[in-house]
Amino acid sequence: AVLFVATTVDARPPEVAGYRLTQPLTGENDRALITTSIEVTFSEVVDQASAEAALDVEPRVDGATSWSGTTLIFTPAEPLPLETRFEVTVAAGVVDRAGNRSTDPAPAFAFETAGRPAVVETDPAADADDVPLDASVRLTFSTLMDTPSVEAALSLSPLIDHELRWSGAVLEIVPAEPLRPDTGYRVQISADAADVAGVALEAPFEVSFRTIAVGLEPSLVIPADGTDGISVRTPVAILFDEPIDPDSISSDTLSIAPQVE
């Protein structure tokens, strides 16, 4: 009997399979909070010392490296500066377990740190009129917020009982009872509110709106109030600001003095 043993020789050098930010902004893979770490994933298990030596972040940042399988994680020693562009590169020279060494640098990865958080959208919109009495108020922030700091910085005028609900970067203020009709409301957030990286709002935030008016209002009466010399056969007309239900008009809701048929 003849025993044949086949072996596969690994002659392929390792490559960078991808980059990832641990704290990206919602929907943006190349913008991150200032407390983000940077992950570099290799195509295979590599010599950690050679990979760490090949990693470079510009502008220069002090930090520590750790590993999770084939992924190198670089964690800055301090929060990164706001609104700054960084470029991550992995030079040639990364070695795998078989001794293969990369001869070309990996494609660079660029990202930018976020600025100060802000409210980017409100519902109702600023200065909105005729807001329904059962409406909630939704505030959308530019990034994930430190919810206790936002709730502590929040104030409503007039003051109402309400519940706060968070969904990602969206805060919903749900009134416990319907809002008052034809009333102006103001929502304020002081500059003490901060995102999850501890960065505070650049300035206090405020949005105002007015609820819808309910109930009928007479907008015109004919003859006009105080008019003299009206014909004894002149009809009396009352124009309302909304269509009315004729069946709701009775001696209980409309009276003329002296009384006439």
Side-chain angles (χ1 to χ4, degrees):
V2 179
L3 176 65
F4 290 94
V5 178
T7 60
T8 301
V9 177
D10 179 9
R12 188 177 218 177
E15 299 177 344
V16 171
Y19 300 91
R20 192 180 80 87
L21 301 170
T22 60
Q23 289 186 309
L25 298 188
T26 303
E28 299 185 64
N29 295 327
D30 57 355
R31 295 189 69 216
L33 298 175
I34 61 173
T35 51
T36 190
S37 295
I38 304 164
E39 295 185 351
V40 183
T41 300
F42 293 90
S43 58
E44 57 182 308
V45 177
V46 298
D47 175 70
Q48 295 181 357
S50 67
E52 293 171 8
L55 177 67
D56 184 54
V57 179
E58 291 291 342
R60 288 282 182 174
V61 176
D62 292 331
T65 56
S66 59
W67 287 84
S68 176
T70 60
T71 298
L72 183 160
I73 305 167
F74 177 77
T75 302
E78 296 181 354
L80 301 173
L82 295 170
E83 298 181 306
T84 302
R85 186 180 185 276
F86 289 88
E87 186 171 86
V88 183
T89 56
V90 177
V94 180
V95 181
D96 65 13
R97 284 183 171 178
N100 300 305
R101 182 181 300 271
S102 63
T103 57
D104 297 316
F109 169 67
F111 71 94
E112 184 177 341
T113 52
R116 292 189 177 277
V119 177
V120 296
E121 185 179 358
T122 67
D123 184 18
D127 301 322
D129 290 321
D130 297 335
V131 174
L133 304 185
D134 60 351
S136 298
V137 180
R138 291 169 58 90
L139 306 177
T140 302
F141 293 87
S142 57
T143 187
L144 295 177
M145 300 297 290
D146 174 59
T147 56
S149 72
V150 176
E151 294 174 7
L154 176 69
S155 62
L156 306 176
S157 179
L159 185 63
I160 58 172
D161 291 333
H162 60 276
E163 178 185 353
L164 299 180
R165 300 175 184 172
W166 286 92
S167 177
V170 178
L171 170 61
E172 184 177 12
I173 306 169
V174 183
E177 297 179 352
L179 301 175
R180 297 202 295 261
D182 194 23
T183 301
Y185 285 87
R186 182 170 65 247
V187 179
Q188 294 175 302
I189 301 176
S190 74
D192 295 330
D195 63 19
V196 292
V199 180
L201 297 178
E202 186 169 7
F205 168 80
E206 179 179 312
V207 63
S208 299
F209 60 89
R210 179 169 288 275
T211 54
I212 190 170
V214 296
L216 292 171
E217 290 287 343
S219 57
L220 181 64
V221 178
I222 303 174
D225 184 33
T227 303
D228 293 328
I230 300 300
S231 169
V232 295
R233 298 185 180 277
T234 297
V236 176
I238 303 174
L239 179 65
F240 289 90
D241 58 353
E242 297 285 347
I244 62 173
D245 177 10
D247 292 337
S248 67
I249 302 298
S250 67
S251 59
D252 295 329
T253 57
L254 175 64
S255 63
I256 302 177
Q259 184 175 353
V260 296
E261 296 298 327

